[in-house]
């Protein structure tokens, strides 16, 4: 009988492609996100084939939720937590639309605690930075709660940081977790652009001196890109990050979502 040898690199490539495909199917694609928020974009760059960053969007009667999270670590183990967080968010948000985002963060944290709080010597890092946006359509208000994830607002070309609380969720289970909700009046701030991003954006190594992008350059990037339409901002930011990184290796997964809540959003809701 003739023995058939399978090309190892080809087989491995198929596995990698399948893992990457499965990772990205966890999240809405660009078209699905724009159906929910017409003026929006997403850039998702895992450090490896799969990553620990994720996001989810949910439309209900009278409101819309946007959730972005950055699990500790990167690669395969972090992607396992990404799937767990995605499933928990999907099961907690629908049906609880009357809750403030800070209550939802606690609910998600408690779910992670119930799964991992009594386990020891785990390979998985269970903590995550997370931001929850809730848009109340009828009163045109946006609520924001963040756990180590700030919301960046650019209005009239100037950056304002809506600061998150400094404790992650899904970690430090013996400590009390409490988060505040920030209220943003969209009737006054309808022309502002908003950005949520994981640490991998600010920590991207590059430039002539091989340094991290950092807060100051991030500020300049967001203020400059905000002058463009959201559809053009994605290409502008993608090109900038590619040039900045150059041939340097990424240190972390990188995810950024930009959006604007103006008349096109309310007209199509």
């Amino acid at each position: 009988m003739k023995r058939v040898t399978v090309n190892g690199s080809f087989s491995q490539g198929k596995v990698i492609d399948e893992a990457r495909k499965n990772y990205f199917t966890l999240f809405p694609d660009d078209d699905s996100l724009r159906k929910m928020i017409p003026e929006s974009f997403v850039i998702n760059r895992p450090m490896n084939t799969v990553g620990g960053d994720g996001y989810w969007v949910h439309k209900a009667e009278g409101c819309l939720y946007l959730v972005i999270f950055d699990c500790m670590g990167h690669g395969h183990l972090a992607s396992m937590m990404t799937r767990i967080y995605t499933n928990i968010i999907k099961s907690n948000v629908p049906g609880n639309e009357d809750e403030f985002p800070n209550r939802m963060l606690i609910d998600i944290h408690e779910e992670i605690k119930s799964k991992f709080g009594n386990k020891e010597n785990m390979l998985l890092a269970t903590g995550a930075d997370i931001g929850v946006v809730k848009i109340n359509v009828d009163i045109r208000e946006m609520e924001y709660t963040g756990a180590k994830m700030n919301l960046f607002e650019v209005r009239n070309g100037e950056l304002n940081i809506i600061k998150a609380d400094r404790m992650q969720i899904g970690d430090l289970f013996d400590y009390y977790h409490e988060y505040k909700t920030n209220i943003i009046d969209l009737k006054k701030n309808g022309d502002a652009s908003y950005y949520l991003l994981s640490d991998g954006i600010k920590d991207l190594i590059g430039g002539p001196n091989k340094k991290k992008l950092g807060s100051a350059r991030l500020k300049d990037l967001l203020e400059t890109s905000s002058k463009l339409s959201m559809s053009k901002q994605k290409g502008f930011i993608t090109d900038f990050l590619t040039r900045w990184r150059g041939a340097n290796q990424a240190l972390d997964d990188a995810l950024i979502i930009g959006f604007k809540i103006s008349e096109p959003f309310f007209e199509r809701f």
Side-chain angles (χ1 to χ4, degrees):
M1 180 181 293
K2 184 177 180 180
R3 180 176 294 177
V4 178
T5 302
V6 177
N7 186 299
S9 61
F10 176 76
S11 178
Q12 185 180 21
K14 284 189 66 177
V15 171
I16 290 173
D17 289 345
E18 191 66 25
R20 186 174 179 84
K21 177 182 176 183
N22 290 338
Y23 167 75
F24 277 99
T25 55
L26 289 172
F27 321 118
D29 58 19
D30 276 344
D31 289 340
S32 298
L33 181 62
R34 282 194 296 269
K35 285 179 181 177
M36 301 277 197
I37 309 176
E39 296 177 276
S40 64
F41 70 85
V42 57
I43 300 169
N44 188 10
R45 290 181 162 188
M47 176 181 164
N48 299 310
T49 305
V50 294
D53 295 347
Y55 62 97
W56 188 67
V57 61
H58 170 66
K59 183 178 180 180
E61 185 174 353
C63 70
L64 182 139
Y65 276 95
L66 173 64
V67 184
I68 175 173
F69 54 93
D70 175 3
C71 298
M72 293 177 66
H74 44 77
H76 178 66
L77 291 178
S79 75
M80 292 173 64
M81 286 306 304
T82 299
R83 187 173 294 276
I84 290 169
Y85 269 97
T86 300
N87 290 336
I88 288 175
I89 291 165
K90 285 181 177 180
S91 65
N92 270 273
V93 176
N96 295 309
E97 289 88 354
D98 292 337
E99 289 188 349
F100 283 104
N102 60 332
R103 181 64 250 174
M104 291 201 163
L105 277 194
I106 296 297
D107 291 344
I108 297 166
H109 172 74
E110 291 298 325
E111 285 265 5
I112 295 293
K113 182 178 179 179
S114 69
K115 286 181 177 294
F116 300 106
N118 296 323
K119 293 184 172 68
E120 297 180 359
N121 301 320
M122 288 191 306
L123 292 174
L124 287 174
T126 59
D129 304 342
I130 186 168
V132 180
V133 171
K134 180 182 179 183
I135 300 163
N136 296 294
V137 175
D138 294 337
I139 59 176
R140 299 201 175 194
E141 279 187 351
M142 183 164 71
E143 301 165 9
Y144 181 71
T145 297
K148 290 193 72 178
M149 183 177 288
N150 298 327
L151 176 64
F152 295 87
E153 176 192 72
V154 182
R155 188 168 68 251
N156 299 324
E158 294 188 4
L159 179 71
N160 173 48
I161 300 176
I162 300 167
K163 292 192 174 181
D165 291 288
R166 300 314 302 161
M167 184 176 284
Q168 284 186 317
I169 67 167
D171 196 13
L172 299 173
F173 297 123
D174 293 334
Y175 289 83
Y176 180 68
H177 286 63
E178 185 176 20
Y179 304 97
K180 66 180 181 295
T181 293
N182 301 275
I183 306 295
I184 300 159
D185 188 346
L186 295 174
K187 297 185 293 293
K188 295 179 180 179
N189 299 341
D191 290 332
S193 299
Y194 295 94
Y195 306 89
L196 284 165
L197 48 98
S198 65
D199 281 345
I201 299 290
K202 191 170 63 174
D203 292 343
L204 189 65
I205 295 290
N209 299 315
K210 296 186 178 181
K211 292 185 176 181
K212 291 183 179 180
L213 182 67
S215 299
R217 278 181 285 264
L218 175 62
K219 177 178 183 293
D220 290 342
L221 173 62
L222 296 182
E223 288 179 345
T224 302
S225 68
S226 70
K227 300 169 186 176
L228 304 172
S229 67
M230 279 291 163
S231 60
K232 291 184 178 179
Q233 284 190 48
K234 177 172 182 174
F236 179 86
I237 293 175
T238 298
D239 290 345
F240 176 88
L241 295 177
T242 300
R243 291 195 310 272
W244 176 261
R245 176 183 169 184
N248 297 291
Q249 183 177 356
L251 298 178
D252 200 357
D253 306 316
L255 171 64
I256 177 169
I257 291 181
F259 62 96
K260 181 180 286 189
I261 306 300
S262 54
E263 278 306 313
F265 171 81
F266 295 108
E267 289 171 358
R268 290 177 56 177
F269 194 85

